[in-house]
Amino acid sequence: MVVLDEELEGISPDELKDELKTFIVYSYKYQHDDGRVSYPLCFIFSSPVGCKPEQQMMYAGSKNKLVQTAELTKVFEIRNTEDLTEEWLREKLGFFH
């Protein structure tokens, strides 16, 4: 079971890194080069460090189930939360164009 822990509004990707726990679903305002604006739903996850193999398997299974259930297509893993910046997210989203 995945439980919504907290819902934040008006937060930037740079501020988001302080909130990253395990899973985050983030609606990002993306300004395209041609002026269009879209709001991709991004699933960002951080792998727990130091977990037992059984816990890692449970984590991976719940992550995959959440991605499938919510039909998330923009799925990004981040190892170091300090790397979570607007530039990082724009670079990741750039692969979807």
Side-chain angles (χ1 to χ4, degrees), residues 9-51:
E9 291 185 30
I11 188 168
S12 73
D14 294 314
E15 296 166 323
L16 191 62
K17 69 178 136 202
D18 296 328
E19 302 300 326
L20 186 62
K21 293 167 179 59
T22 305
F23 303 140
I24 287 185
V25 178
Y26 184 59
S27 177
Y28 176 65
K29 182 179 179 180
Y30 187 82
Q31 181 86 31
H32 297 266
D33 293 336
D34 62 4
R36 293 177 298 120
V37 175
S38 63
Y39 294 86
L41 203 53
C42 305
F43 180 72
I44 304 168
F45 66 96
S46 175
S47 298
V49 178
C51 288

Side-chain angles (χ1 to χ4, degrees), residues 30-33 36 38 40 74 90 92-97:
Y30 187 82
Q31 181 86 31
H32 297 266
D33 293 336
R36 293 177 298 120
S38 63
K74 293 163 181 62
R90 288 189 61 79
K92 294 291 185 183
L93 288 169
F95 291 111
F96 288 93
H97 301 161

